[in-house]
Amino acid sequence: MPSIRSLLPKLAAAYPAISFTPGTRFAWSPDTHTVYYDEAANNPELLLHELAHGILGHHDYSKDVELVAMESQAWDKALELSATFAVVIGNDMVQDSLDTYREWLHARSTCPNCEATGYQSGKDTYSCIACTHTWRVNEARICALRRYKTK
Ligand SMILES: [Zn+2]
Ligand SMILES: [Zn+2]
């Protein structure tokens, strides 16, 4: 599998509208059209995943379910890219990543009062139909929530 270092010039040449910048973790910044990558973690799968967010034009989202959908779309696109750039993306990695977001969504949407599943009533609020309780959740940023596995 190619290293991030050998992959970067190829990705930059193929996607000149997107910048690649070393950072403390893998992330896509829609505001600056930049993919950040962690040089210390040689993880070409995550590099392709973040690039996929960029290619798909992922920006802001108003509902948490949209974020989960974007994560799924980004992995589908990353799998497409993986064939072109000779990167192997294991299904376990994709499922683990998506599970993290699904668990996150479940935790946010579970009513702290009665444990029924609530609905998102605002950017940072959920409401429960069962007991009418309303609760606030923290702001979530795209791709900031994943627990990265070290290899
Ligand atoms: Zn409730
Ligand atoms: Zn992502």
Side-chain angles (χ1 to χ4, degrees), residues 49-50 53 67 70-71 74-75 97 101 142-143 146:
H49 172 86
E50 301 307 336
H53 278 303
L67 175 60
M70 284 195 277
E71 284 310 309
W75 278 118
S97 170
Y101 283 93
I142 193 161
C143 263
R146 188 190 297 120

Side-chain angles (χ1 to χ4, degrees), residues 63-64 105-137:
K63 293 281 197 288
D64 294 342
L105 181 63
H106 179 73
R108 280 163 81 90
S109 61
T110 300
C111 175
N113 201 35
C114 76
E115 292 183 7
T117 301
Y119 66 94
Q120 192 170 5
S121 47
K123 177 98 180 139
D124 304 314
T125 52
Y126 275 82
S127 300
C128 178
I129 299 171
C131 75
T132 72
H133 184 65
T134 294
W135 63 101
R136 288 186 68 81
V137 289

Side-chain angles (χ1 to χ4, degrees), residues 33-120:
H33 277 86
T34 301
V35 168
Y36 291 96
Y37 59 93
D38 179 357
E39 279 179 307
N42 189 46
N43 212 324
E45 304 99 313
L46 291 177
L47 186 62
L48 291 187
H49 172 86
E50 301 307 336
L51 173 61
H53 278 303
I55 293 168
L56 294 169
H58 284 167
H59 210 271
D60 211 0
Y61 60 95
S62 54
K63 293 281 197 288
D64 294 342
V65 287
E66 291 171 25
L67 175 60
V68 178
M70 284 195 277
E71 284 310 309
S72 182
Q73 290 160 11
W75 278 118
D76 285 347
K77 186 73 188 174
L79 285 166
E80 244 178 80
L81 297 171
S82 70
T84 308
F85 295 101
V87 172
V88 177
I89 299 179
N91 191 49
D92 282 0
M93 180 167 202
V94 174
Q95 290 312 317
D96 283 356
S97 170
L98 291 176
D99 281 350
T100 305
Y101 283 93
R102 292 184 191 117
E103 285 163 20
W104 164 82
L105 181 63
H106 179 73
R108 280 163 81 90
S109 61
T110 300
C111 175
N113 201 35
C114 76
E115 292 183 7
T117 301
Y119 66 94
Q120 192 170 5

